[in-house]
Amino acid sequence: MTFDHAARLARLAALLPGREVPALLVTSAVNVRYLTGLASSNAAVLVRADGSALLATDNRYIGKARTLGVPVVEASDVAARLAEPGAGIEAANMSVATYRRLGLELVPLGPVVEELRAVKDDAELELLRTACAITDQVFADVSARVVPGMTERELARLLENRMTELGADKPAFDSIVAAGENGAIPHHAPTDRELRAGDLVTMDFGARYQGYHADMTRTVSLGPPAAWQRELYDLVAAAQRAGRHALAPGAAAGDVDRAARSIVAEAGHGEHFRHGLGHGVGLEIHEEPFLGPSRTGRLEDRVPITVEPGVYLPGRGGVRIEDTLVTRAGGPELFTKTTKELLVL
């Protein structure tokens, strides 16, 4: 897949005068990859307001770096090699120790590159579509194999093994499988707890494909659901629909969250939905923008984002339904297409 890294560098350079810095020292590995195409554990790029850029990395990656069309220098201490007085730095990425060691007047900035990354180009969207298509197929294949007596860990391994069999780089994150009462824990780590008839089972997983991350959650019923389980599922499904429909270029992040959260609150379960509604996905599994009650800012066009309301009843269980979508002027485009109807296994 070909990306226009020169255009990305130019867009970043154009933002710097407004941030009142002559240059930005980018040290986040993900942001260096986004701007230059170099995936490494030790690299930085200095981007100047005049449009020039200089990449630094060590001898492990210098060969690859020299093929990328960006001027490059070899260095072990990449930040020290590139830092210039008055340059901006990524405050969320650079440690206090590194900042002090550089010994220069530098300007801490917020998520400048992350805001650029939020809006995806056609190549990025195609990679995300593939990651989500793999994720959909994994669910179809593995859900047919779920049986009582299987443990949460075994089910998680099935999900993750199938991802790589279908062409994923690896799982986008550690898969969540939560059965029965464990479904009340939003980020439950799979255990040896066996799945039993009558359980609701939540599976939160996704494939990473060529660096891009999918994210999907489905809650299924192992056998016919009890009345309270069906009621809870229908409530979360209604909230998820409302959140999806609220996604649009120009929509306020807090308003999208409110569209879903108000439905849960009106049903008397506001205290049982305590996490944000969603987050951007791309080169990271959690990236700008974020949807939540206190989140500010407005969505732009072509932003991949999740919508994932959940209701969690301590000691009983829970339901979460999550999709990855992309904001579009004519309505959001759904990337994870697995049915959101309650699947009874």
Side-chain angles (χ1 to χ4, degrees):
M1 192 66 67
T2 302
F3 301 107
D4 191 344
H5 295 109
R8 293 174 178 179
L9 288 165
R11 286 197 299 272
L12 176 57
L15 294 176
L16 300 183
R19 306 299 174 109
E20 300 182 341
V21 293
L24 175 64
L25 176 59
V26 178
T27 51
S28 159
V30 175
N31 289 342
V32 171
R33 176 176 181 172
Y34 175 78
L35 292 168
T36 70
L38 181 64
S40 85
S41 61
N42 185 36
V45 60
L46 184 73
V47 182
R48 299 187 181 92
D50 65 9
S52 63
L54 183 61
L55 174 65
T57 190
D58 64 39
N59 59 16
R60 295 172 296 167
Y61 307 103
I62 194 69
K64 173 64 176 177
R66 286 176 176 148
T67 70
L68 300 175
V70 181
V72 60
V73 294
E74 183 176 336
S76 295
D77 191 342
V78 293
R81 176 62 179 81
L82 297 182
E84 296 180 350
I89 58 171
E90 298 179 296
N93 181 262
M94 183 176 287
S95 70
V96 173
T98 298
Y99 179 83
R100 289 175 174 169
R101 179 171 53 77
L102 294 176
L104 298 174
E105 292 240 356
L106 300 167
V107 181
L109 295 180
V112 184
V113 182
E114 287 83 355
E115 290 171 6
L116 284 178
R117 282 172 40 205
V119 177
K120 304 300 191 285
D121 61 30
D122 287 342
E124 291 180 292
L125 291 178
E126 189 56 36
L127 293 177
L128 280 166
R129 281 193 193 93
T130 301
C132 289
I134 291 172
T135 303
D136 279 331
Q137 189 61 52
V138 166
F139 180 76
D141 294 348
V142 171
S143 61
R145 300 175 60 183
V146 176
V147 292
M150 176 182 292
T151 69
E152 293 173 337
R153 290 186 207 274
E154 289 170 340
L155 179 49
R157 282 196 295 271
L158 284 177
L159 292 168
E160 295 182 349
N161 290 341
R162 190 61 181 143
M163 289 180 212
T164 55
E165 290 170 355
L166 291 172
D169 305 338
K170 63 180 183 178
F173 53 93
D174 291 337
S175 301
I176 295 169
V177 174
E181 68 286 351
N182 290 336
I185 305 168
H187 273 198
H188 172 70
T191 68
D192 289 326
R193 196 268 198 199
E194 293 185 353
L195 280 57
R196 299 190 288 266
D199 282 342
L200 290 177
V201 182
T202 296
M203 292 174 272
D204 185 346
F205 63 102
R208 194 183 87 168
Y209 182 75
Q210 293 188 27
Y212 282 78
H213 298 70
D215 199 356
M216 184 176 81
T217 305
R218 292 295 185 265
T219 300
V220 301
S221 179
L222 200 55
W228 72 268
Q229 293 171 322
R230 171 66 72 175
E231 180 181 347
L232 197 64
Y233 191 93
D234 290 347
L235 171 62
V236 175
Q240 210 254 357
R241 280 194 301 273
R244 295 198 323 266
H245 293 163
L247 287 177
D255 290 345
V256 177
D257 180 271
R258 195 172 302 111
R261 195 173 301 277
S262 62
I263 290 175
V264 175
E266 287 166 7
H269 285 293
E271 66 179 299
H272 299 134
F273 175 24
R274 295 189 174 182
H275 57 73
L277 180 65
H279 55 86
V281 291
L283 285 170
E284 294 180 287
I285 187 58
H286 296 107
E287 59 180 51
E288 295 286 342
F290 293 88
L291 304 175
S294 61
R295 295 292 180 173
T296 59
R298 295 185 178 274
L299 301 180
E300 298 183 65
D301 192 21
R302 303 170 64 89
V303 174
I305 197 163
T306 68
V307 175
E308 50 179 303
V311 175
Y312 312 94
L313 306 182
R316 300 183 72 189
V319 172
R320 183 166 65 255
I321 304 171
E322 175 187 22
D323 283 304
T324 296
L325 307 98
V326 178
T327 55
R328 297 289 196 181
E333 179 182 352
L334 186 65
F335 272 18
T336 46
K337 299 179 180 180
T338 297
T339 181
K340 284 163 282 296
E341 296 297 319
L342 178 58
L343 184 63
V344 179
L345 303 179

